[in-house]
């Protein structure tokens, strides 16, 4: 993000200012940018606005208040102070250069310039188009709030503030992108979050130098954590305000990007991506059971298929009672090829489901399950067990709360399957070891990715395994280095 040091001051002649706006942003050319010219106390006043980003009713009310000045006031020398006093809005600020005025105008605020004055007024009457808060599709719960973040950063901060009414909650805003000038908000609780972490996040964001953030939060993530080609997610996304508020109280720093309904939580570990809000909407016993089932699903999505492949290639490893595992009939297509075709076939179906309109998705599912799967087995393309284990692995992927983590696990599973097919037992052992070493080496904003497993923290690891009651969770996670460790004041 670059800073413009040669800022153009506001001219006392409105003609010069209007010329600047016409040349700089195309006022008079772009139909959505306009100027309303009125006379107040024998002075010309220009009001610049962006039609689609400001609330028309607020703008009309402001115009009414300003025009009425001519009926009630006669002191032309104090026109600026009188106009400022008639701006009936809670967010009014001054501006003394045209570059800042342009940035605010393109963000949806209105600019008021007065003949003979080198200072203008900025009034925040933004009204961004967008949807109302609703429950996120990817983070549904049986019980709990049904509101979710939207593409409007103002609404998102309000949803968070509603849950944490603490005077120490901070929302710091900055703009990133030379052309897009996207609003980005850093949220944290002042006396809980680590000041070093807050400064690190600010520094990384301020160093972003790009023309635009059309992909929103994902672009920010790639600059922030410098992920490269590592498939594992280094930040957590959430669209639920209750989840975001919980992490704020733990000491995390949140990043909200305008136009993005997802909020970035930093720093995060591997185990942040395997938790779900549903676990905390049930009793501790039920939450622990749900968590264990989810862990089982994640392990299944990773290791079930490589293990089955190993037993197919090395039947002698199976006890006699488990001899039924493996294909019961021979086919002309190697099992590894069948597995890869079926695994990529599941990915084709997932992509097709995303791009298929909802009324047609059911028909697509029937075609995939009945026609493709059944016929592929009958013609000998697949053995039934391949379909079975691929399906169970896919269900384990869908049980993973984090979409990014499920895709990363799928990539790791493919490498493990190929390693087993090439080297059998050594392939599984070496592949699993390399997989664990990769996770151990990952650090997200100087945070070990496998904490509290590696480095091992017994108390924190027990909170991962067992969902403790809220009354029993008295300290905040040490991984975020909170200033105030106790969650419950004594």
């Amino acid at each position: 993000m670059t800073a413009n040091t040669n800022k153009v001051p506001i001219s006392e002649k409105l003609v010069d200012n209007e010329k600047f706006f016409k040349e700089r942003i195309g006022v008079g050319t772009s139909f959505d940018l306009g100027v309303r010219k009125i006379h107040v106390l024998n002075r010309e006043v220009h009001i610049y606005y962006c039609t689609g980003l400001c609330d028309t009713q607020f703008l009309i009310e402001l115009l009414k208040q300003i025009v009425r000045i001519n009926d009630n006031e006669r002191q032309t020398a104090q026109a600026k102070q009188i106009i400022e006093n008639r701006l009936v809005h809670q967010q009014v600020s001054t501006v003394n250069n045209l570059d800042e005025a342009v940035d605010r105008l393109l963000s949806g605020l209105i600019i008021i310039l007065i003949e003979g004055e080198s200072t203008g007024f900025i009034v925040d009457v933004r009204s961004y188009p967008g949807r109302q808060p609703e429950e996120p599709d990817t983070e549904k719960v049986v019980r709990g709030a049904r509101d979710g973040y939207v593409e409007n950063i103002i609404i998102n901060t309000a949803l968070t503030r509603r849950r944490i009414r603490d005077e120490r909650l901070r929302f710091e805003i900055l703009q990133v992108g030379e052309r897009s000038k996207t609003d980005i908000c850093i949220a944290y609780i002042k006396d809980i979050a680590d000041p070093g972490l807050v400064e690190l996040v600010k520094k990384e964001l301020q160093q972003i130098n790009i023309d635009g953030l059309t992909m929103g939060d994902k672009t920010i993530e790639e600059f922030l954590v410098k992920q490269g080609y590592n498939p594992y997610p280094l930040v957590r996304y959430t669209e639920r305000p209750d989840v975001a508020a919980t992490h704020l109280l733990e000491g995390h720093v949140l990043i909200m990007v305008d136009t993005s309904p997802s909020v970035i939580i930093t720093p995060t570990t591997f185990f942040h991506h395997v938790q779900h809000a549903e676990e905390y909407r049930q009793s501790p016993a039920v939450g622990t059971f749900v968590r264990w089932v989810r862990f089982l699903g994640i392990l299944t999505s990773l290791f079930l298929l490589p293990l089955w492949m190993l037993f197919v290639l090395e039947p002698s490893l199976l006890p006699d009672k488990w001899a039924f595992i493996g294909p019961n009939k021979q086919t002309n297509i190697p099992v590894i090829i069948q597995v890869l075709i079926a695994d990529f076939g599941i990915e084709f179906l997932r992509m097709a489901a995303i791009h298929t309109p909802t009324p047609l998705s059911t028909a697509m599912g029937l075609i995939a399950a009945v026609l493709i799967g059944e016929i592929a087995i009958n013609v000998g393309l697949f053995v039934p067990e391949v379909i079975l284990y691929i399906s169970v692995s896919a269900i384990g992927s869908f049980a993973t709360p984090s979409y990014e983590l499920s895709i990363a696990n799928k990539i790791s599973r493919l490498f493990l399957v190929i390693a087993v097919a090439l080297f059998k037992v050594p392939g599984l052992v070496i592949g699993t070891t390399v997989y664990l070493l990769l996770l151990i080496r990952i650090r997200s904003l100087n945070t070990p990715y496998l904490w509290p497993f590696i480095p091992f923290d017994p108390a924190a690891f027990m909170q991962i395994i067992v969902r403790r009651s809220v009354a029993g969770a008295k300290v905040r996670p040490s991984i975020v280095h909170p200033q105030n460790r106790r969650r419950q004041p004594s």
Side-chain angles (χ1 to χ4, degrees):
M1 182 173 61
T2 59
N4 185 3
T5 56
N6 300 320
K7 294 184 178 180
V8 180
I10 292 177
S11 174
E12 295 182 359
K13 296 181 180 180
L14 292 186
V15 176
D16 296 338
N17 296 329
E18 185 177 7
K19 182 180 177 182
F20 178 89
F21 280 111
K22 286 181 178 180
E23 295 177 351
R24 185 69 172 269
I25 59 176
V27 171
T29 302
S30 298
F31 76 93
D32 61 333
L33 297 174
V35 56
R36 180 71 165 90
K37 301 177 181 180
I38 59 178
H39 284 81
V40 179
L41 299 178
N42 297 324
R43 292 221 203 163
E44 190 173 4
V45 177
H46 287 186
I47 302 176
Y48 293 89
Y49 58 88
C50 183
T51 301
L53 298 181
C54 62
D55 191 311
T56 303
Q57 294 303 317
F58 275 135
L59 182 54
I60 292 174
E61 183 62 29
L62 285 173
L63 283 170
K64 287 180 180 179
Q65 294 292 332
I66 295 175
V67 170
R68 286 172 185 165
I69 294 176
N70 292 321
D71 301 329
N72 304 317
E73 300 289 345
R74 295 292 182 269
Q75 301 180 18
T76 57
Q78 297 183 359
K80 177 184 175 183
Q81 292 78 7
I82 295 173
I83 292 175
E84 181 180 9
N85 197 44
R86 295 300 191 277
L87 298 179
V88 287
H89 199 275
Q90 76 273 18
Q91 289 185 307
V92 180
S93 58
T94 58
V95 60
N96 54 22
N97 67 83
L98 292 174
D99 296 276
E100 183 181 351
V102 165
D103 292 344
R104 297 295 181 265
L105 175 62
L106 295 177
S107 297
L109 292 79
I110 63 172
I111 311 300
I112 302 176
L113 302 179
I114 306 169
E115 182 73 31
E117 301 290 344
S118 59
T119 302
F121 297 112
I122 299 175
V123 185
D124 190 349
V125 295
R126 283 178 288 191
S127 179
Y128 291 159
R131 58 190 174 93
Q132 292 299 310
E134 57 188 15
E135 185 176 20
D137 289 334
T138 56
E139 296 179 272
K140 290 182 179 292
V141 294
V142 177
R143 307 220 178 259
R146 294 292 185 262
D147 58 346
Y149 287 130
V150 295
E151 290 76 12
N152 190 325
I153 194 172
I154 304 299
I155 295 178
N156 292 345
T157 55
L159 290 172
T160 309
R161 178 79 70 176
R162 185 180 179 188
R163 285 168 169 81
I164 304 180
R165 302 175 184 180
D166 187 352
E167 67 273 14
R168 289 151 292 194
L169 176 60
R170 298 289 184 266
F171 291 116
E172 297 189 23
I173 196 165
L174 63 153
Q175 290 186 330
V176 174
E178 181 65 26
R179 297 183 184 273
S180 67
K181 296 181 175 63
T182 306
D183 290 325
I184 297 179
C185 174
I186 304 172
Y188 61 95
I189 300 179
K190 187 176 181 180
D191 66 331
I192 297 179
D194 178 14
L197 175 62
V198 175
E199 289 302 319
L200 175 62
V201 172
K202 286 183 187 177
K203 179 181 176 182
E204 293 292 338
L205 293 178
Q206 290 169 351
Q207 289 179 348
I208 295 177
N209 189 7
I210 192 173
D211 56 354
L213 299 176
T214 53
M215 292 294 108
D217 48 9
K218 186 58 186 176
T219 306
I220 291 296
E221 177 198 348
E222 294 185 6
F223 276 102
L224 184 65
V225 296
K226 301 173 180 61
Q227 187 172 5
Y229 286 96
N230 171 25
Y232 279 88
L234 303 184
V235 299
R236 180 181 178 181
Y237 291 98
T238 184
E239 295 183 36
R240 296 188 62 90
D242 50 0
V243 173
T246 300
H247 283 81
L248 280 174
L249 292 173
E250 288 182 354
H252 291 266
V253 176
L254 271 54
I255 302 173
M256 302 178 179
V257 183
D258 195 27
T259 72
S260 295
S262 301
V263 168
I264 298 175
I265 301 173
T266 60
T268 55
T269 66
F270 178 89
F271 295 101
H272 281 98
H273 299 278
V274 299
Q275 299 181 24
H276 192 271
E278 181 66 25
E279 301 165 6
Y280 296 91
R281 292 290 183 178
Q282 306 292 340
S283 65
V286 175
T288 301
F289 172 74
V290 171
R291 183 175 293 183
W292 288 357
V293 172
R294 184 169 287 113
F295 285 167
L296 179 61
I298 294 171
L299 291 174
T300 298
S301 70
L302 262 173
F303 297 108
L304 177 65
L305 207 55
L307 280 173
W308 179 76
M309 176 65 65
L310 178 63
F311 293 143
V312 169
L313 299 176
E314 293 284 354
S316 59
L317 297 175
L318 284 169
D320 295 336
K321 294 181 179 180
W322 297 86
F324 63 88
I325 294 179
N328 296 321
K329 61 179 181 179
Q330 297 294 326
T331 61
N332 295 325
I333 301 177
V335 176
I336 178 61
I337 302 299
Q338 296 183 39
V339 168
L340 293 178
I341 292 175
D343 211 359
F344 280 106
I346 293 289
E347 199 65 18
F348 292 157
L349 292 175
R350 182 189 65 81
M351 293 179 181
I354 293 175
H355 303 303
T356 302
T358 303
L360 301 178
S361 59
T362 303
M364 188 200 69
L366 291 174
I367 292 172
V370 178
L371 297 179
I372 299 178
E374 191 67 28
I375 294 175
I377 292 175
N378 291 336
V379 301
L381 181 61
F382 298 129
V383 296
E385 281 197 54
V386 169
I387 301 297
L388 171 65
Y389 289 105
I390 286 287
S391 301
V392 174
S393 297
I395 293 173
S397 297
F398 296 147
T400 307
S402 169
Y403 172 76
E404 293 82 6
L405 180 63
S406 68
I407 298 298
N409 284 342
K410 177 185 280 287
I411 296 174
S412 299
R413 182 180 73 217
L414 285 174
F415 279 107
L416 287 176
V417 167
I418 294 173
V420 169
L422 293 176
F423 305 108
K424 300 179 181 178
V425 175
L428 180 63
V429 174
I430 295 174
T432 304
T433 304
V434 171
Y435 168 75
L436 291 175
L437 290 176
L438 170 66
L439 295 183
I440 292 172
R441 289 183 65 252
I442 296 175
R443 298 182 72 85
S444 173
L445 294 176
N446 300 324
T447 302
Y449 198 56
L450 285 186
W451 182 91
F453 180 57
I454 298 175
F456 188 63
D457 185 333
F461 190 68
M462 281 304 298
Q463 292 192 25
I464 297 294
I465 299 300
V466 180
R467 204 287 258 181
R468 299 186 64 181
S469 65
V470 176
K474 297 182 179 180
V475 296
R476 296 183 172 89
S478 61
I479 195 65
V480 294
H481 307 291
Q483 299 181 71
N484 183 357
R485 282 297 308 277
R486 294 192 60 85
R487 299 184 60 129
Q488 302 175 17
S490 56

